[in-house]
Amino acid sequence: MEGFTFVDMVVLIVYISLIAWIGSRFGKDQYSPEDYFLGGRKIPGWAIGLSVMATQASAITFIGAPGWGFEGGLERLVTFINVPLAMIVLIMVFVPVFHRAGIYSIYELLERRFGPATRTLSALLFLIARGLATGVVLYAPALVLAVVTGWSVNLTIIIMAVLAISYTVLGGMSAVIWTDVIQMFVLWLGALLSIFFLITSLPGGWSDVFTFGAQSGMFNAIDLSLDPSVTYSLWAGLLGGFFLHVAYFGTDQSQIQRVLSSPSVLDAQRSLLIGGYLLIPQMLLFLFIGVILATYYQQHGLTPPEDLNELLPRYVVNAFPSGMAGLVIAGVFAAAMSSLDSALNSLSAVTVRDFYSRYIKPDASDAHYLKASRLATIFWGLYATLFAFFAGNLGPVIEAVNQIGSWFYGALLGTFLLAIFSHRSNARGAVAGLIAGMLAVWLVSSLMDISWLYNNTIGVVVSVSIGYLVSLTTSAPRPEQLSDVIIEETAPDMQAILASRGASAPEVGHEARLTRRRCIGLLLWFGLMLGLLALLQGWANG
């Protein structure tokens, strides 16, 4: 079967219409910003976790990761091997602090701790970085549509933008999460079907893949080189990738906003736990599709497309039976819309919460802010559309998104670490550290040949160091600035908190034990995944 048939087109239209209808149904129950941005804080942790996984398995991963695998095998998996370790930090540190603070936007916490200047600067950096990355997210499904229909990519960008913005304006965080749950299963189904059809098209099946992969060095995921210019060494993944994911899942509003929508700390932890266990296998699945595609292209003497982002969409359209190709492509479309939904929803939240309600209309009604939120969503949709026109020049889309974030994430994470752990750091130090961290990343990237993954480590180290040193030159923060922000038990309000919890001590103890067990489980999972990769590499080179 070749080409995108009429049946495929019908499946595509019906599926996207169904997802849009589901999203709009949730939108009818939104009466306040809390409903729109946090789903009324009533969404269970397991659904949030699946939503996070669906976003990671969205069109970005479905399109970009097989291109990674085709080009370099499993080497880029080290970028994600650190995720269980990152989730431990989030579960133990960020989730309790953010939930205790009762915030909409995580940058509100920075104002409590450091004042309005730090909050405004951090929120502005998020808007710039996430707005650009959202343009890449929009480009990915538009590319799929261009490959399927033969239309120009610019035209499909406009079509996808209109659909995505319309859907996002109607949907809130509840729509984002529950539609994401559907998308995850559809995309995983598409990935497994792709593997099935690819393997059955090879004369030797799996043996051909493992033979070709071993001979081509595609299973060499662990590079122990200490050379900082090696982009995907194990050390770049453990150091740079660790800080990248702590910052991405912990200080990026588009991710942490879902965690804030959970009803309790334990539910929020559960959502991160799902990602901690499933993200590595999920990325391995999509990278392995790239290895199988490389085997397929080599055996059939085919020339790959110039843009490796087109690899899997082309195969799906040309090899899948009529109707099934439409379902998989529809899943990519709908997942992309959900990814855009969450990104645009968070951009709108920061715009309204951190800027509009503070500087333009501070005393308006919930209905007014809800309307402003939807207008802000339209603005960011248009912003992302303009950047999407240039996203095709950035290479594999998944790497483009991470590289954009690496310029900002480290410095932002350093600012939050100062806020949570340091009693002595103050506003002047926080701003100085944030700016110095970004400048350091720019200087090192410009003057040295170094893996972009280390940008996150450099940003954190410089931001924390400069921020703390500059803080020592001015007065210490007031005691009220530490309340509900500092995580240590020596925080000024901690004794009162502990006293008030006396009656619920057994419950608090249970939560603490459960948190420890969850973190130990993630640590063991990290060791298991690293060990399995080492065994696979040892077998391939033996």
Side-chain angles (χ1 to χ4, degrees):
M1 178 64 218
E2 293 187 1
F4 201 67
T5 66
F6 174 76
V7 174
D8 293 322
M9 187 64 71
V10 171
V11 171
L12 171 64
I13 294 172
V14 170
Y15 186 83
I16 291 180
S17 299
L18 176 63
I19 293 298
W21 178 79
I22 293 173
S24 66
R25 296 294 297 176
F26 284 104
K28 292 182 178 179
D29 297 325
Q30 296 164 6
Y31 303 104
S32 69
E34 185 176 38
D35 294 332
Y36 189 72
F37 295 133
L38 299 177
R41 301 185 194 267
K42 300 176 181 177
I43 302 175
W46 65 266
I48 297 171
L50 292 180
S51 172
V52 171
M53 290 301 301
T55 299
Q56 299 306 310
S58 68
I60 292 293
T61 300
F62 195 92
I63 294 172
W68 266 9
F70 185 94
E71 185 179 40
L74 305 185
E75 67 172 0
R76 289 170 172 86
L77 192 60
V78 296
T79 308
F80 302 90
I81 196 70
N82 55 76
V83 168
L85 302 179
M87 293 304 182
I88 291 174
V89 175
L90 296 173
I91 286 173
M92 294 186 66
V93 178
F94 286 86
V95 165
V97 170
F98 288 155
H99 256 273
R100 187 172 69 195
I103 52 180
Y104 281 28
S105 161
I106 57 173
Y107 309 109
E108 295 178 53
L109 186 114
L110 294 181
E111 180 174 21
R112 295 185 189 180
R113 182 66 179 79
F114 295 129
T118 308
R119 174 184 180 180
T120 299
L121 178 58
S122 300
L124 183 61
L125 289 175
F126 164 76
L127 292 178
I128 295 172
R130 181 49 51 189
L132 295 178
T134 304
V136 181
V137 174
L138 175 58
Y139 168 78
L143 173 64
V144 177
L145 185 58
V147 171
V148 170
T149 62
W151 301 340
S152 72
V153 175
N154 286 344
L155 176 60
T156 55
I157 286 173
I158 295 173
I159 294 173
M160 281 301 302
V162 172
L163 288 172
I165 294 171
S166 301
Y167 171 77
T168 304
V169 169
L170 290 175
M173 185 52 67
S174 296
V176 172
I177 290 174
W178 290 111
T179 54
D180 277 355
V181 171
I182 300 173
Q183 310 320 325
M184 194 198 76
F185 291 108
V186 173
L187 278 174
W188 276 46
L189 174 64
L192 294 174
L193 286 174
S194 299
I195 291 177
F196 172 79
F197 285 115
L198 279 165
I199 292 299
T200 56
S201 69
L202 301 175
W206 282 106
S207 63
D208 288 349
V209 176
F210 282 102
T211 300
F212 175 78
Q215 293 175 348
S216 305
M218 287 194 162
F219 298 141
N220 295 334
I222 301 177
D223 187 339
L224 297 177
S225 172
L226 296 175
D227 184 353
S229 66
V230 177
T231 304
Y232 299 106
S233 70
L234 178 62
W235 317 117
L238 288 179
L239 290 176
F242 169 77
F243 286 113
L244 167 67
H245 285 111
V246 172
Y248 175 60
F249 288 109
T251 66
D252 188 307
Q253 178 71 18
S254 66
Q255 296 301 310
I256 201 67
Q257 188 171 324
R258 304 181 214 209
V259 178
L260 295 177
S261 66
S262 59
S264 69
V265 170
L266 290 181
D267 276 304
Q269 290 179 350
R270 187 177 296 113
S271 69
L272 295 172
L273 204 65
I274 292 173
Y277 279 110
L278 293 184
L279 188 54
I280 297 175
Q282 177 174 274
M283 187 55 59
L284 180 61
L285 174 68
F286 284 100
L287 288 174
F288 223 94
I289 291 175
V291 176
I292 303 173
L293 279 167
T295 309
Y296 176 85
Y297 270 72
Q298 188 268 340
Q299 285 199 357
H300 291 79
L302 301 174
T303 301
E306 185 175 335
D307 187 350
L308 293 181
N309 296 320
E310 299 178 10
L311 272 171
L312 188 56
R314 285 188 183 277
Y315 180 79
V316 168
V317 171
N318 292 328
F320 277 35
S322 179
M324 196 171 294
L327 178 63
V328 174
I329 298 299
V332 176
F333 271 51
M337 292 170 68
S338 291
S339 299
L340 282 168
D341 197 334
S342 59
L344 296 180
N345 187 272
S346 63
L347 288 165
S348 174
V350 172
T351 301
V352 173
R353 188 75 175 179
D354 294 304
F355 292 95
Y356 184 78
S357 65
R358 294 174 67 233
Y359 299 119
I360 300 176
K361 202 83 171 180
D363 298 314
S365 64
D366 282 348
H368 177 85
Y369 287 136
L370 182 59
K371 182 179 179 180
S373 301
R374 291 195 164 106
L375 291 175
T377 300
I378 294 173
F379 167 79
W380 285 110
L382 296 176
Y383 177 95
T385 302
L386 291 176
F387 183 70
F389 291 129
F390 304 98
N393 300 321
L394 299 178
V397 289
I398 187 171
E399 186 168 320
V401 170
N402 287 330
Q403 286 184 347
I404 289 171
S406 72
W407 287 82
F408 305 92
Y409 279 150
L412 277 173
L413 176 59
T415 305
F416 275 94
L417 292 177
L418 284 174
I420 293 172
F421 286 105
S422 171
H423 291 81
R424 186 60 181 81
S425 57
N426 55 31
R428 183 177 298 180
V431 173
L434 182 58
I435 295 173
M438 290 185 293
L439 287 176
V441 169
W442 177 77
L443 285 173
V444 171
S445 301
S446 302
L447 302 177
M448 298 176 62
D449 182 15
I450 187 171
S451 169
W452 64 268
L453 284 168
Y454 287 116
N455 289 346
N456 306 282
T457 307
I458 293 167
V460 169
V461 171
V462 173
S463 178
V464 170
S465 302
I466 298 297
Y468 187 79
L469 291 175
V470 171
S471 295
L472 296 179
T473 65
T474 55
S475 59
R478 300 184 304 276
E480 60 267 22
Q481 290 180 282
L482 305 179
S483 179
D484 286 337
V485 178
I486 292 288
I487 194 171
E488 298 174 356
E489 292 188 356
T490 52
D493 64 325
M494 186 53 65
Q495 294 305 316
I497 292 174
L498 292 176
S500 67
R501 291 181 177 178
S504 58
E507 180 182 349
V508 174
H510 169 70
E511 291 182 4
R513 289 191 297 272
L514 182 56
T515 297
R516 284 195 296 270
R517 287 199 297 268
R518 287 172 169 177
C519 292
I520 292 172
L522 286 172
L523 185 61
L524 294 174
W525 182 248
F526 163 76
L528 177 63
M529 291 293 98
L530 191 60
L532 290 176
L533 286 179
L535 288 175
L536 177 60
Q537 183 167 323
W539 168 85
N541 296 325

